[in-house]
Amino acid sequence: MVGPACAPDRPPSAALSRSHLNGAALPATDQNRVSCEGPTDLLESYRPTSFFLSSPRGPLLADAPLHRLASVDTASAALSRASENNVLFGALPFDGSQPPQLGLGAVVRLPAPLTVHQEIAAPVPIGADTSWAWEEPDDTLYKEAVRAVIKRIGQGEVDKVVLARAIDLTADRDIEVGDILRALVTAEPDAYSFAVDLGDRTLVGASPELLVSVHNGRATANPLAGSAPRHPDPVLDRIQATQLLESAKDQREHQVVVDAVADALAPLCRELETPARPALSRTRTMWHLSSRVTAVPREGVTALDLARALHPTPAVCGQPTGAARQAIRELEASPRGFYSGMVGWTDTRGDGEWVVSIRCGEVRGKSLRLFAGAGIVAGSTPEGEAAETRAKLRTMLLACGAIEATS
């Protein structure tokens, strides 16, 4: 889907030195500042080489980067030397030993301060004339891997492991990432919908999980851990949510993640607050236990610094991290790549927003690989975790039109 670009906000003589994204000042030159009616217009300007990230605070669209950056250290150094109209954006993979996909760009399109709810009302899947070839995931191998993790937990080798799985779909034509983005933003207006050009493929998804944001000297992390599928019946849906909130197993799993987030942020922050109990967070397909951790970063600490310190949290890896990583390497059938990594941006002031790249897939021509994972802890069952991954896969299956909302 390709549409007209947004029109320039005003001529250069208007002397605007800054524009505002998500309520935070984001450097931009007059020539590069663009005003749009809202996220719908921003999506119309999306191109295959663009970077797109929407959030409840507003969306960002950056054109192809002026500079590709080979490592996170290189990116941090480049950002510290950049002029104020530059923004660092891109994605980091799950495995930190693999190269990131980061760019430094000067052209950033910004929307007017309207919410997604004001702009988009109903889910719009991609073209109904697209045909998909795919098979329902076979639970056998995944359940065997879950059993192997449960055994390791019982032997005291590890406390938690997040096991992921992947499924492959093939369309009868080249897949338009912009169409999937529109469907995701429509169906999941409170999620963090994103698209990142990875060179030979595109990462696209709608994550429910904020890794960290920094705005006006305040940092916020919003770890999610402990999940339950949504139910189409409102009464049963509320029962499932209540059961999740009262589940001792899920509460333990969640607290492990919150403690890890607090421990990672503490050395880089002057103040830190964590909630006493998690709250419920919902997407179109899932309920999650959610905690908002707030902090005040130390002088000179950027959003990217905090994101690097946090990644990967036990919500996507496990605990202890080393043992969980080893289990993931041995038991997962498909390499994760950028799934369960992070996607986001940081400006020259240190403000920014990074999200966990889950509920996502990779588009390559006519092919789409989707990922989903579940946290295995004491009390987990192979059947329950397999069902959870199936529910999580529905976010992208619905967005691309491979399944119906009633299925």
Side-chain angles (χ1 to χ4, degrees):
M1 176 185 302
V2 176
C6 302
D9 184 52
R10 61 186 72 186
S13 61
L16 287 175
S17 61
R18 289 187 183 273
S19 54
H20 288 75
L21 172 70
N22 302 341
L26 180 67
T29 63
D30 292 339
Q31 292 87 347
N32 292 333
R33 186 175 192 271
V34 177
S35 176
C36 305
E37 291 301 318
T40 306
D41 291 310
L42 219 57
L43 284 172
E44 292 294 338
S45 299
Y46 172 81
R47 301 292 184 272
T49 56
S50 301
F51 170 85
F52 180 89
L53 175 64
S54 70
S55 81
R57 291 165 54 191
L60 177 148
L61 176 68
D63 288 345
L66 299 178
H67 305 287
R68 292 283 186 187
L69 302 163
S71 71
V72 182
D73 289 336
T74 300
S76 296
L79 185 64
S80 68
R81 299 190 302 268
S83 59
E84 71 167 5
N85 66 323
N86 277 254
V87 177
L88 175 71
F89 55 87
L92 275 67
F94 170 74
D95 186 346
S97 67
Q98 298 177 356
Q101 190 74 10
L102 294 169
L104 195 66
V107 178
V108 178
R109 293 194 173 100
L110 306 173
L114 298 178
T115 68
V116 175
H117 292 290
Q118 291 172 297
E119 290 297 305
I120 303 175
V124 182
I126 66 175
D129 55 349
T130 300
S131 297
W132 294 92
W134 65 288
E135 295 182 1
E136 287 282 344
D138 182 359
D139 290 344
T140 304
L141 292 178
Y142 188 77
K143 288 180 180 179
E144 289 178 0
V146 173
R147 290 188 187 97
V149 169
I150 292 172
K151 182 178 180 180
R152 296 187 190 198
I153 293 172
Q155 294 172 340
E157 298 176 16
V158 65
D159 297 324
K160 175 183 178 179
V161 176
V162 179
L163 278 184
R165 67 198 301 189
I167 63 171
D168 294 306
L169 296 82
T170 303
D172 61 350
R173 66 199 66 201
D174 283 348
I175 300 167
E176 293 286 348
V177 175
D179 288 345
I180 296 179
L181 261 182
R182 178 178 293 274
L184 289 170
V185 172
T186 299
E188 305 283 356
D190 293 324
Y192 301 86
S193 296
F194 56 85
V196 187
D197 174 26
L198 301 179
D200 62 340
R201 62 200 190 283
T202 301
L203 180 71
V204 58
S207 175
E209 186 165 2
L210 172 68
L211 183 63
V212 68
S213 68
V214 177
H215 166 47
N216 287 348
R218 299 287 300 183
T220 302
N222 189 195
L224 306 180
S227 305
R230 301 290 305 275
H231 197 284
D233 183 293
V235 175
L236 295 178
D237 189 44
R238 176 52 59 180
I239 290 173
Q240 297 206 155
T242 302
Q243 289 175 341
L244 173 64
L245 194 59
E246 296 175 350
S247 165
K249 165 191 168 292
D250 290 293
Q251 288 278 351
R252 288 194 302 271
E253 178 184 351
H254 186 81
Q255 193 60 48
V256 166
V257 178
V258 173
D259 290 344
V261 166
D263 289 345
L265 291 177
L268 300 175
C269 298
R270 294 186 285 106
E271 300 175 15
L272 186 69
E273 294 182 9
T274 60
R277 287 180 55 83
L280 283 170
S281 174
R282 65 184 178 184
T283 69
R284 187 183 182 190
T285 60
M286 300 293 298
W287 286 103
H288 298 284
L289 295 182
S290 166
S291 291
R292 295 187 69 82
V293 179
T294 58
V296 178
R298 295 185 184 279
E299 185 70 25
V301 173
T302 69
L304 179 59
D305 295 331
L306 296 179
R308 292 181 68 185
L310 288 167
H311 179 66
T313 73
V316 295
C317 182
Q319 191 76 3
T321 302
R325 281 186 182 276
Q326 183 63 29
I328 288 168
R329 283 192 291 266
E330 294 175 4
L331 298 173
E332 287 189 356
S334 302
R336 291 192 180 190
F338 285 81
Y339 164 72
S340 69
M342 61 185 195
V343 171
W345 60 272
T346 299
D347 66 22
T348 54
R349 299 169 67 242
D351 284 0
E353 195 163 42
W354 293 86
V355 305
V356 183
S357 50
I358 54 177
R359 308 293 192 279
C360 64
E362 293 182 351
V363 174
R364 191 196 308 257
K366 299 178 181 179
S367 300
L368 173 61
R369 169 165 284 190
L370 304 182
F371 298 88
I376 317 303
V377 296
S380 293
T381 65
E383 294 74 17
E385 305 309 319
E388 181 175 323
T389 59
R390 282 174 170 269
K392 290 175 177 177
L393 286 168
R394 285 176 56 83
T395 295
M396 289 294 293
L397 289 171
L398 286 166
C400 69
I403 62 174
E404 298 292 333
T406 55
S407 63

